[in-house]
Amino acid sequence: MLNRMRCSMALVWLLWLVTVQFEILEALTSHTRPGCEQGDPPPSTRVNTTSRLASFRAALAEIDGSFQAFIVGSEDAHDSEYPTEYDQRRAYISGFSGSSGTAVVTMSSAALWTDGRYFLEAEQSLDCNWILMRSGLTDTPAIEQWLNSQLLNERSNVGIDKSLISHSSFLSLQKKLAALSQHHSLLPVDSINNPVDRSWTVGRPPQAKNPIHALDLKFAGVSWADKIKALRENITSKGAGAFVVNVLDETAWLFNLRGSDVRFNPFFLSYAIVELDRTRLYILDKDTRLTANPTDPETKVKLAEHLQTSASGTCEPSKAREGTCVEVVEYNPIKVEEDLQLIAQSKQVWITFSASFAVYSAVQNSSLIAKSPLAIDKSVKNKIEREGMQRAYNRDSAALIKFLAFLEKEIKEGRHWTEVTAGAKLDEQRKKLEYNRGLSFETISGYSSNGAIIHYRPLNHTDKKISTDSLYLLDSGGQYLDGTTDVTRTMHYGNPTNYEKECYTRVLMSSINLAMLKWPEGLYGRQIDAVARYQLWDVGLVYRHGTGHGIGAYLSVHEGPGRIRIVQTPSASDEPLRSYQFFSDEPGYYEDGEFGIRLETVVMTSHFQPKYDTAKQLFLEFLPVQLVPFETNLIELSLMNHNQVKWLNEYNAKIRETLLPLLTDDVLATNWVNARIKQISIEPSASSTPTLTISTVLAIVTVLLALH
């Protein structure tokens, strides 16, 4: 009898376990998405990927028959945020073109992971072949967990192109997969066997080979020879013999060169290897580009002349040792790997955390893995760069003000403007400004519910008319020879509701709280992020993106290594905030299907002299660089405290002093500004100290724990 009971209990237990496992598997593989039920018409915004996936799976099966799944990330061989059109493999295979996402394809299913900025856009873009995985939500499985549930055969092989993933990410994912119950293996695949490349044979754009221009010292501030000298000193201090430059903005900065191979970014496809007696730069079509006449009116020299090299890219050995000549080599990732293998036979090679697994494999037995000194040096702007950035922001702010004044008049007078036409008009005006070399990203012009899509891009089939009954979010920026700009303002051209005003004001308060902060040098951005969020948290409002990103000097609009965002796991390449770095200050709030609010003001870190010097420590603060008024008819002053109003008055005074002289040719813009920068009286009864709420305490505890 006892044995029968035990068997019955075991059977019940087994049935329960199978049921639970089935429910988990069903949850992980559910295709229940809007418009994906049988008979539902697919939304017009979705990209049909059926034939693409069929070709992809056929190519995957042809590699050697051993792969059951393949991972397609957003990155190119240089860990770029914005790859060239040729390198947008994940966008091609999935149909989702947002800047962040990872696609995973098995022989029977496909899933895409993306973060909170892109949840709505991904839902609109992915067809019903795809499972949308919302990263960061508690019920969303990690990639390795999903693969563990999908690949039912133990020790299945999962492939990834070794040139398109950083070595740190590869090794981390490989370890996670092996540790799960199915013990799957992550295996590197050579670029020639990438199933996206093998199946993407029609309509693929060619790889870009646009002109490369020298950036004059009046913009760069420091010569490339001096930058090479400083880098060599860093290499020596680490006991290494060579350093690999694999990130495109670092190559552009190091050699004072700019290109246009990557949309919205002044970069060119390149690698560089810097040794103590030799410097090599790898670029496409080197012979043509070295000797081509400059096409930028502010560039006076050919590329070969700028780099002090020959027409074929060769250097005299003495000049190479002195660091006064750069050897230019044809861009070929396989050639780079072969050169690194040769160097590693006699020298230790310094690579960064972002170097691809292919680069890592080439020098694995003789590598030093550490942060990039170029990333740090590049982010701390020299005097010429700081002055140039401020001039660029002044021009850019004036142009945006003129446009906002014009658009408000047009809307209130009943003229027809849409997200697309308004964004195009602003883009056109910005491109006419001195030293402008295009946009720094695709303009985000979102009205009403479209504004709730954090990285929305207006298209003809999503275009909304801008009217007076909701909020309009406008996020835009430009690339200039003397700086990179990024600014967001949110407007309402009618009568906002009390709720909309409170949401806007709390976003403004959040922005001001961060802008007012003073802190001891040595803190990371993750340690101060909560300072911006807590007054939104006080009433249960949350935004799912970082509060601030670094900004380059005519480089990337999203620049590392500093960043201001809450992270669960700090990155090995993170750096504390330093003086003379530029950051966005951009809290927001987004209500799905209703509206979006974001206020982005660029600030610069600077030294601050506190009242007391007892800590014997340097302090930092933020100084506003972007000068565009906030929307007064959306501000509920009764919610703001004394210090916040004081900061707003000082910001408006700076606009009055700096921007009004640039608007004398535009009466409409002058009047628009004056109406928004009037001094606000601060009542004596207004509290100078914010109420200490639970969220305030949480913010303080977050900082203290991080410091500990």
Side-chain angles (χ1 to χ4, degrees):
M1 176 67 72
L2 184 61
N3 286 337
R4 286 181 183 176
M5 288 179 63
R6 286 174 176 169
C7 288
S8 297
M9 291 176 66
L11 182 59
V12 170
W13 171 256
L14 180 61
L15 288 172
W16 177 85
L17 183 62
V18 169
T19 301
V20 169
Q21 290 292 328
F22 178 78
E23 289 175 351
I24 292 173
L25 182 63
E26 184 178 42
L28 292 177
T29 59
S30 174
H31 282 251
T32 305
R33 292 176 49 214
C36 289
E37 295 294 329
Q38 188 172 4
D40 287 347
S44 61
T45 55
R46 290 182 177 169
V47 179
N48 188 339
T49 61
T50 301
S51 62
R52 297 180 187 183
L53 285 169
S55 298
F56 177 93
R57 288 175 173 130
L60 180 61
E62 289 173 357
I63 295 177
D64 59 15
S66 66
F67 289 97
Q68 287 75 50
F70 198 87
I71 299 172
V72 184
S74 304
E75 297 78 14
D76 61 5
H78 307 281
D79 198 30
S80 301
E81 179 183 10
Y82 298 106
T84 65
E85 292 184 6
Y86 175 89
D87 283 324
Q88 292 180 10
R89 296 173 177 85
R90 190 262 305 148
Y92 169 77
I93 195 61
S94 69
F96 167 65
S97 59
S99 66
S100 177
T102 302
V104 183
V105 182
T106 72
M107 288 301 179
S108 59
S109 56
L112 181 128
W113 281 255
T114 191
D115 60 51
R117 296 171 297 168
Y118 295 108
F119 288 169
L120 293 180
E121 181 180 343
E123 187 63 73
Q124 293 174 352
S125 302
L126 297 173
D127 70 5
C128 297
N129 289 303
W130 292 86
I131 305 166
L132 174 56
M133 299 293 190
R134 294 173 171 84
S135 298
L137 301 188
T138 54
D139 59 347
T140 300
I143 288 174
E144 64 274 11
Q145 293 171 330
W146 185 74
L147 283 168
N148 196 55
S149 72
Q150 291 288 292
L151 306 178
L152 301 181
N153 294 328
E154 249 194 311
R155 304 186 187 281
S156 295
N157 291 332
V158 179
I160 192 165
D161 189 325
K162 67 178 182 179
S163 68
L164 302 178
I165 183 173
S166 70
H167 64 93
S168 50
S169 296
F170 179 93
L171 295 172
S172 174
L173 183 56
Q174 187 180 57
K175 183 177 180 181
K176 290 175 182 177
L177 273 171
L180 291 174
S181 60
Q182 298 289 70
H183 307 296
H184 299 313
S185 298
L186 181 67
L187 300 179
V189 173
D190 291 334
S191 56
I192 58 173
N193 287 320
N194 188 314
V196 178
D197 292 352
R198 293 169 68 91
S199 60
W200 190 3
T201 57
V202 177
R204 187 174 192 176
Q207 194 59 281
K209 303 175 187 178
N210 298 321
I212 301 173
H213 296 115
L215 187 67
D216 195 278
L217 270 178
K218 70 179 181 181
F219 302 116
V222 178
S223 71
W224 64 260
D226 286 340
K227 293 177 181 180
I228 293 290
K229 180 180 178 182
L231 177 56
R232 285 177 170 175
E233 290 172 357
N234 271 300
I235 294 171
T236 300
S237 71
K238 287 284 189 180
F243 178 79
V244 183
V245 189
N246 65 284
V247 182
L248 300 185
D249 68 337
E250 292 185 11
T251 311
W253 178 84
L254 179 62
F255 296 102
N256 289 343
L257 295 172
R258 300 295 189 268
S260 58
D261 287 355
V262 181
R263 195 180 183 201
F264 306 123
N265 293 269
F267 307 151
F268 49 96
L269 287 179
S270 53
Y271 282 98
I273 301 175
V274 179
E275 301 171 77
L276 299 181
D277 58 357
R278 187 180 186 184
T279 299
R280 275 173 278 188
L281 172 64
Y282 299 76
I283 62 173
L284 284 168
D285 197 15
K286 72 174 181 71
D287 292 337
T288 300
R289 292 165 113 176
L290 275 171
T291 57
N293 290 320
T295 58
D296 191 299
E298 292 295 326
T299 301
K300 309 300 182 187
V301 297
K302 296 179 181 179
L303 184 57
E305 183 181 351
H306 173 73
L307 297 174
Q308 297 296 299
T309 188
S310 69
S312 61
T314 58
C315 285
E316 295 178 14
S318 60
K319 288 187 175 182
R321 286 192 298 271
E322 293 168 1
T324 57
C325 175
V326 177
E327 182 181 341
V328 181
V329 185
E330 187 66 29
Y331 177 97
N332 183 334
I334 303 301
K335 168 66 173 167
V336 173
E337 293 172 39
E338 291 172 351
D339 288 347
L340 287 173
Q341 288 171 352
L342 188 60
I343 294 170
Q345 291 177 11
S346 59
K347 301 174 184 177
Q348 190 174 46
V349 181
W350 180 356
I351 65 173
T352 67
F353 297 106
S354 67
S356 70
F357 188 72
V359 168
Y360 167 84
S361 300
V363 299
Q364 185 174 357
N365 296 325
S366 184
S367 65
L368 165 68
I369 303 170
K371 298 176 182 179
S372 169
L374 300 183
I376 300 167
D377 291 346
K378 171 174 55 65
S379 70
V380 177
K381 310 302 186 288
N382 61 52
K383 184 174 183 292
I384 296 297
E385 289 174 322
R386 297 196 299 271
E387 292 172 350
M389 288 282 276
Q390 186 62 71
R391 287 194 299 271
Y393 272 94
N394 289 347
R395 291 194 307 274
D396 195 84
S397 297
L400 180 58
I401 287 169
K402 290 179 179 180
F403 172 75
L404 291 176
F406 163 80
L407 183 63
E408 179 176 287
K409 182 175 184 292
E410 291 281 293
I411 298 299
K412 288 185 174 181
E413 291 180 354
R415 295 185 180 86
H416 185 85
W417 285 89
T418 70
E419 298 166 336
V420 169
T421 58
K425 179 70 172 178
L426 176 59
D427 294 349
E428 176 188 327
Q429 291 189 6
R430 185 171 264 126
K431 289 176 181 178
K432 294 178 182 177
L433 298 180
E434 183 183 25
Y435 297 147
N436 183 270
R437 296 298 180 267
L439 306 178
S440 56
F441 57 95
E442 191 168 6
T443 297
I444 299 170
S445 171
Y447 184 70
S448 186
S449 59
N450 284 343
I453 304 172
I454 296 174
H455 273 202
Y456 171 74
R457 295 184 298 279
L459 301 170
N460 290 333
H461 57 270
T462 63
D463 196 18
K464 282 181 180 283
K465 178 186 175 183
I466 301 170
S467 189
T468 59
D469 59 355
S470 191
L471 294 154
Y472 174 52
L473 186 154
L474 183 63
D475 185 351
S476 63
Q479 290 285 9
Y480 303 89
L481 292 176
D482 50 356
T484 300
T485 68
D486 186 4
V487 57
T488 309
R489 290 293 182 261
T490 304
M491 287 68 65
H492 197 301
Y493 299 125
N495 298 312
T497 66
N498 290 336
Y499 177 63
E500 289 170 335
K501 291 176 70 173
E502 178 176 0
C503 291
Y504 180 96
T505 304
R506 287 191 177 275
V507 172
L508 176 60
M509 292 158 66
S510 297
S511 177
I512 292 174
N513 285 348
L514 183 65
M516 289 193 301
L517 184 67
K518 278 75 174 173
W519 69 95
E521 192 174 50
L523 292 189
Y524 291 79
R526 63 178 180 268
Q527 295 171 304
I528 65 173
D529 183 280
V531 171
R533 296 179 191 263
Y534 80 84
Q535 291 203 282
L536 287 161
W537 290 347
D538 275 346
V539 292
L541 303 183
V542 173
Y543 58 94
R544 293 188 179 94
H545 58 71
T547 300
H549 56 80
I551 299 175
Y554 187 31
L555 286 168
S556 176
V557 75
H558 297 144
E559 180 179 77
R563 55 181 180 169
I564 304 171
R565 64 181 304 174
I566 293 176
V567 292
Q568 293 179 333
T569 305
S571 168
S573 60
D574 280 356
E575 280 288 322
L577 307 184
R578 300 168 185 250
S579 57
Y580 305 136
Q581 292 176 322
F582 288 72
F583 289 97
S584 66
D585 172 0
E586 52 173 316
Y589 175 65
Y590 312 89
E591 191 142 321
D592 289 359
E594 297 295 333
F595 61 81
I597 299 168
R598 184 163 62 253
L599 299 174
E600 180 178 19
T601 301
V602 172
V603 294
M604 182 186 77
T605 52
S606 182
H607 289 298
F608 167 72
Q609 183 59 53
K611 181 179 180 180
Y612 303 111
D613 190 31
T614 55
K616 303 299 180 185
Q617 189 173 357
L618 291 174
F619 275 71
L620 297 175
E621 66 175 338
F622 289 124
L623 301 178
V625 175
Q626 183 82 53
L627 301 172
V628 177
F630 298 100
E631 191 66 21
T632 50
N633 76 323
L634 279 165
I635 299 175
E636 180 52 68
L637 288 172
S638 64
L639 295 174
M640 300 175 67
N641 66 42
H642 175 99
N643 287 335
Q644 290 164 345
V645 175
K646 181 174 180 288
W647 183 93
L648 184 57
N649 277 334
E650 291 171 353
Y651 181 75
N652 287 340
K654 192 168 184 180
I655 292 175
R656 184 179 300 107
E657 176 187 351
T658 306
L659 266 294
L660 278 180
L662 303 181
L663 302 172
T664 54
D665 62 336
D666 193 322
V667 175
L668 179 65
T670 299
N671 292 338
W672 186 89
V673 168
N674 281 326
R676 286 160 174 76
I677 62 172
K678 294 175 181 177
Q679 287 293 102
I680 304 165
S681 62
I682 304 175
E683 298 297 329
S685 59
S687 172
S688 62
T689 305
T691 303
L692 194 63
T693 64
I694 293 175
S695 293
T696 309
V697 173
L698 178 60
I700 295 170
V701 170
T702 300
V703 172
L704 292 176
L705 286 175
L707 277 170
H708 178 73

Short mmCIF file of all heavy atoms in Angstrom, two decimals, residues 205-240:
data_model
loop_
_atom_site.label_atom_id
_atom_site.label_comp_id
_atom_site.label_asym_id
_atom_site.label_seq_id
_atom_site.Cartn_x
_atom_site.Cartn_y
_atom_site.Cartn_z
N PRO A 205 22.20 47.85 -49.44
CA PRO A 205 23.02 48.99 -49.85
C PRO A 205 24.50 48.63 -49.84
O PRO A 205 24.93 47.80 -49.03
CB PRO A 205 22.72 50.06 -48.79
CG PRO A 205 21.47 49.59 -48.10
CD PRO A 205 21.48 48.11 -48.18
N PRO A 206 25.30 49.22 -50.71
CA PRO A 206 26.75 48.98 -50.67
C PRO A 206 27.37 49.63 -49.44
O PRO A 206 26.79 50.55 -48.85
CB PRO A 206 27.25 49.64 -51.96
CG PRO A 206 26.24 50.71 -52.25
CD PRO A 206 24.92 50.17 -51.78
N GLN A 207 28.54 49.13 -49.06
CA GLN A 207 29.23 49.74 -47.93
C GLN A 207 29.69 51.14 -48.29
O GLN A 207 30.18 51.38 -49.39
CB GLN A 207 30.42 48.87 -47.51
CG GLN A 207 31.02 49.21 -46.17
CD GLN A 207 30.05 49.09 -45.00
OE1 GLN A 207 29.23 50.01 -44.81
NE2 GLN A 207 30.13 48.02 -44.25
N ALA A 208 29.53 52.10 -47.35
CA ALA A 208 29.81 53.51 -47.62
C ALA A 208 31.32 53.77 -47.73
O ALA A 208 32.12 53.18 -47.00
CB ALA A 208 29.22 54.37 -46.52
N LYS A 209 31.66 54.67 -48.66
CA LYS A 209 33.06 55.09 -48.84
C LYS A 209 33.08 56.59 -49.13
O LYS A 209 33.69 57.06 -50.10
CB LYS A 209 33.70 54.33 -50.00
CG LYS A 209 33.68 52.81 -49.87
CD LYS A 209 34.22 52.15 -51.13
CE LYS A 209 34.07 50.64 -51.08
NZ LYS A 209 34.54 49.99 -52.34
N ASN A 210 32.44 57.37 -48.30
CA ASN A 210 32.33 58.81 -48.52
C ASN A 210 33.63 59.53 -48.18
O ASN A 210 34.48 58.97 -47.48
CB ASN A 210 31.17 59.37 -47.69
CG ASN A 210 29.83 58.77 -48.11
OD1 ASN A 210 29.58 58.55 -49.29
ND2 ASN A 210 28.98 58.47 -47.14
N PRO A 211 33.79 60.77 -48.65
CA PRO A 211 35.03 61.51 -48.38
C PRO A 211 35.33 61.64 -46.89
O PRO A 211 34.41 61.76 -46.06
CB PRO A 211 34.76 62.88 -49.01
CG PRO A 211 33.74 62.62 -50.07
CD PRO A 211 32.87 61.53 -49.52
N ILE A 212 36.62 61.63 -46.57
CA ILE A 212 37.10 61.84 -45.21
C ILE A 212 37.81 63.19 -45.17
O ILE A 212 38.66 63.46 -46.02
CB ILE A 212 38.06 60.72 -44.76
CG1 ILE A 212 37.36 59.36 -44.84
CG2 ILE A 212 38.56 60.97 -43.35
CD1 ILE A 212 38.28 58.18 -44.57
N HIS A 213 37.46 64.03 -44.19
CA HIS A 213 38.02 65.38 -44.13
C HIS A 213 38.82 65.61 -42.86
O HIS A 213 38.47 65.09 -41.80
CB HIS A 213 36.89 66.41 -44.21
CG HIS A 213 36.14 66.39 -45.49
ND1 HIS A 213 34.81 66.04 -45.57
CD2 HIS A 213 36.54 66.64 -46.77
CE1 HIS A 213 34.41 66.09 -46.84
NE2 HIS A 213 35.44 66.45 -47.58
N ALA A 214 39.85 66.40 -42.99
CA ALA A 214 40.62 66.84 -41.82
C ALA A 214 39.82 67.88 -41.06
O ALA A 214 39.19 68.75 -41.65
CB ALA A 214 41.96 67.41 -42.26
N LEU A 215 39.84 67.79 -39.74
CA LEU A 215 39.19 68.79 -38.89
C LEU A 215 40.25 69.79 -38.45
O LEU A 215 41.21 69.43 -37.78
CB LEU A 215 38.55 68.12 -37.67
CG LEU A 215 37.70 69.02 -36.78
CD1 LEU A 215 36.45 69.50 -37.52
CD2 LEU A 215 37.31 68.30 -35.49
N ASP A 216 40.06 71.03 -38.83
CA ASP A 216 41.04 72.07 -38.55
C ASP A 216 41.27 72.24 -37.05
O ASP A 216 40.37 72.03 -36.24
CB ASP A 216 40.57 73.40 -39.17
CG ASP A 216 41.69 74.42 -39.25
OD1 ASP A 216 41.95 75.07 -38.23
OD2 ASP A 216 42.30 74.55 -40.32
N LEU A 217 42.49 72.66 -36.68
CA LEU A 217 42.82 72.85 -35.28
C LEU A 217 41.95 73.89 -34.60
O LEU A 217 41.76 73.87 -33.38
CB LEU A 217 44.30 73.27 -35.14
CG LEU A 217 45.32 72.14 -34.98
CD1 LEU A 217 46.72 72.72 -34.90
CD2 LEU A 217 45.01 71.32 -33.74
N LYS A 218 41.37 74.83 -35.37
CA LYS A 218 40.50 75.83 -34.74
C LYS A 218 39.22 75.20 -34.21
O LYS A 218 38.52 75.81 -33.40
CB LYS A 218 40.17 76.94 -35.74
CG LYS A 218 39.26 76.55 -36.88
CD LYS A 218 39.00 77.75 -37.79
CE LYS A 218 38.07 77.41 -38.94
NZ LYS A 218 37.82 78.57 -39.84
N PHE A 219 38.95 73.95 -34.62
CA PHE A 219 37.82 73.20 -34.07
C PHE A 219 38.29 72.10 -33.13
O PHE A 219 37.66 71.85 -32.10
CB PHE A 219 36.99 72.57 -35.19
CG PHE A 219 36.45 73.55 -36.19
CD1 PHE A 219 36.85 73.51 -37.52
CD2 PHE A 219 35.54 74.53 -35.80
CE1 PHE A 219 36.34 74.41 -38.44
CE2 PHE A 219 35.03 75.44 -36.72
CZ PHE A 219 35.44 75.38 -38.05
N ALA A 220 39.39 71.43 -33.47
CA ALA A 220 39.86 70.29 -32.69
C ALA A 220 40.61 70.70 -31.43
O ALA A 220 40.53 70.02 -30.40
CB ALA A 220 40.74 69.38 -33.55
N GLY A 221 41.39 71.77 -31.51
CA GLY A 221 42.10 72.26 -30.33
C GLY A 221 43.43 71.60 -30.06
O GLY A 221 44.35 72.24 -29.54
N VAL A 222 43.59 70.32 -30.40
CA VAL A 222 44.83 69.56 -30.16
C VAL A 222 45.15 68.78 -31.41
O VAL A 222 44.25 68.18 -32.02
CB VAL A 222 44.69 68.61 -28.95
CG1 VAL A 222 45.96 67.80 -28.75
CG2 VAL A 222 44.34 69.38 -27.69
N SER A 223 46.41 68.76 -31.83
CA SER A 223 46.80 68.05 -33.05
C SER A 223 46.74 66.54 -32.86
O SER A 223 46.85 66.04 -31.73
CB SER A 223 48.21 68.45 -33.46
OG SER A 223 49.17 67.89 -32.56
N TRP A 224 46.59 65.82 -33.98
CA TRP A 224 46.56 64.36 -33.88
C TRP A 224 47.90 63.82 -33.41
O TRP A 224 47.96 62.80 -32.71
CB TRP A 224 46.12 63.70 -35.19
CG TRP A 224 47.03 63.88 -36.38
CD1 TRP A 224 46.88 64.76 -37.40
CD2 TRP A 224 48.23 63.14 -36.67
NE1 TRP A 224 47.91 64.62 -38.32
CE2 TRP A 224 48.74 63.62 -37.89
CE3 TRP A 224 48.91 62.11 -36.02
CZ2 TRP A 224 49.92 63.14 -38.46
CZ3 TRP A 224 50.08 61.61 -36.59
CH2 TRP A 224 50.57 62.13 -37.80
N ALA A 225 49.00 64.49 -33.78
CA ALA A 225 50.32 64.03 -33.35
C ALA A 225 50.45 64.09 -31.82
O ALA A 225 51.01 63.18 -31.19
CB ALA A 225 51.41 64.88 -34.00
N ASP A 226 49.91 65.14 -31.21
CA ASP A 226 49.95 65.24 -29.75
C ASP A 226 49.06 64.18 -29.10
O ASP A 226 49.37 63.66 -28.02
CB ASP A 226 49.52 66.64 -29.30
CG ASP A 226 50.59 67.69 -29.56
OD1 ASP A 226 51.77 67.31 -29.71
OD2 ASP A 226 50.25 68.89 -29.62
N LYS A 227 47.94 63.86 -29.75
CA LYS A 227 47.06 62.81 -29.22
C LYS A 227 47.73 61.44 -29.30
O LYS A 227 47.61 60.63 -28.37
CB LYS A 227 45.74 62.81 -29.98
CG LYS A 227 44.88 64.05 -29.74
CD LYS A 227 43.61 64.03 -30.58
CE LYS A 227 42.78 65.28 -30.36
NZ LYS A 227 41.53 65.29 -31.17
N ILE A 228 48.46 61.18 -30.40
CA ILE A 228 49.20 59.92 -30.53
C ILE A 228 50.28 59.83 -29.45
O ILE A 228 50.48 58.78 -28.83
CB ILE A 228 49.83 59.80 -31.94
CG1 ILE A 228 48.75 59.65 -33.02
CG2 ILE A 228 50.82 58.64 -32.00
CD1 ILE A 228 48.03 58.32 -33.01
N LYS A 229 50.96 60.95 -29.22
CA LYS A 229 52.01 60.98 -28.20
C LYS A 229 51.43 60.64 -26.83
O LYS A 229 52.00 59.83 -26.08
CB LYS A 229 52.65 62.36 -28.17
CG LYS A 229 53.76 62.50 -27.14
CD LYS A 229 54.36 63.91 -27.16
CE LYS A 229 55.44 64.07 -26.09
NZ LYS A 229 55.99 65.46 -26.08
N ALA A 230 50.28 61.24 -26.50
CA ALA A 230 49.65 60.96 -25.21
C ALA A 230 49.20 59.51 -25.12
O ALA A 230 49.32 58.87 -24.06
CB ALA A 230 48.46 61.91 -25.01
N LEU A 231 48.69 58.96 -26.22
CA LEU A 231 48.26 57.57 -26.23
C LEU A 231 49.45 56.64 -26.02
O LEU A 231 49.36 55.65 -25.27
CB LEU A 231 47.55 57.24 -27.54
CG LEU A 231 47.10 55.79 -27.73
CD1 LEU A 231 46.20 55.33 -26.58
CD2 LEU A 231 46.38 55.61 -29.07
N ARG A 232 50.56 56.93 -26.65
CA ARG A 232 51.75 56.10 -26.49
C ARG A 232 52.25 56.13 -25.04
O ARG A 232 52.72 55.11 -24.50
CB ARG A 232 52.85 56.55 -27.45
CG ARG A 232 52.59 56.12 -28.89
CD ARG A 232 53.65 56.62 -29.85
NE ARG A 232 53.49 55.99 -31.17
CZ ARG A 232 54.21 56.31 -32.25
NH1 ARG A 232 55.15 57.26 -32.17
NH2 ARG A 232 54.01 55.69 -33.39
N GLU A 233 52.10 57.26 -24.38
CA GLU A 233 52.48 57.34 -22.97
C GLU A 233 51.58 56.44 -22.14
O GLU A 233 52.03 55.79 -21.19
CB GLU A 233 52.39 58.79 -22.49
CG GLU A 233 53.48 59.69 -23.08
CD GLU A 233 53.26 61.17 -22.76
OE1 GLU A 233 52.23 61.50 -22.13
OE2 GLU A 233 54.13 61.99 -23.13
N ASN A 234 50.29 56.39 -22.49
CA ASN A 234 49.36 55.51 -21.80
C ASN A 234 49.72 54.05 -22.04
O ASN A 234 49.65 53.22 -21.12
CB ASN A 234 47.93 55.77 -22.28
CG ASN A 234 47.22 56.84 -21.47
OD1 ASN A 234 47.04 56.71 -20.27
ND2 ASN A 234 46.83 57.91 -22.14
N ILE A 235 50.07 53.72 -23.29
CA ILE A 235 50.45 52.34 -23.63
C ILE A 235 51.65 51.91 -22.80
O ILE A 235 51.68 50.81 -22.23
CB ILE A 235 50.74 52.22 -25.14
CG1 ILE A 235 49.46 52.47 -25.96
CG2 ILE A 235 51.32 50.84 -25.47
CD1 ILE A 235 49.71 52.59 -27.46
N THR A 236 52.65 52.79 -22.72
CA THR A 236 53.87 52.49 -21.96
C THR A 236 53.55 52.30 -20.48
O THR A 236 54.07 51.38 -19.83
CB THR A 236 54.90 53.62 -22.14
OG1 THR A 236 55.22 53.75 -23.53
CG2 THR A 236 56.17 53.33 -21.36
N SER A 237 52.68 53.16 -19.94
CA SER A 237 52.35 53.07 -18.52
C SER A 237 51.65 51.76 -18.17
O SER A 237 51.71 51.30 -17.03
CB SER A 237 51.47 54.26 -18.11
OG SER A 237 50.16 54.14 -18.67
N LYS A 238 51.01 51.15 -19.15
CA LYS A 238 50.32 49.88 -18.93
C LYS A 238 51.24 48.68 -19.18
O LYS A 238 50.83 47.53 -18.99
CB LYS A 238 49.11 49.77 -19.87
CG LYS A 238 47.93 50.65 -19.49
CD LYS A 238 47.16 50.07 -18.31
CE LYS A 238 45.88 50.84 -18.07
NZ LYS A 238 45.11 50.29 -16.93
N GLY A 239 52.43 48.94 -19.65
CA GLY A 239 53.34 47.85 -19.96
C GLY A 239 52.99 47.11 -21.23
O GLY A 239 53.41 45.97 -21.44
N ALA A 240 52.21 47.74 -22.09
CA ALA A 240 51.79 47.13 -23.35
C ALA A 240 52.67 47.63 -24.49
O ALA A 240 53.49 48.54 -24.32
CB ALA A 240 50.33 47.45 -23.63
#
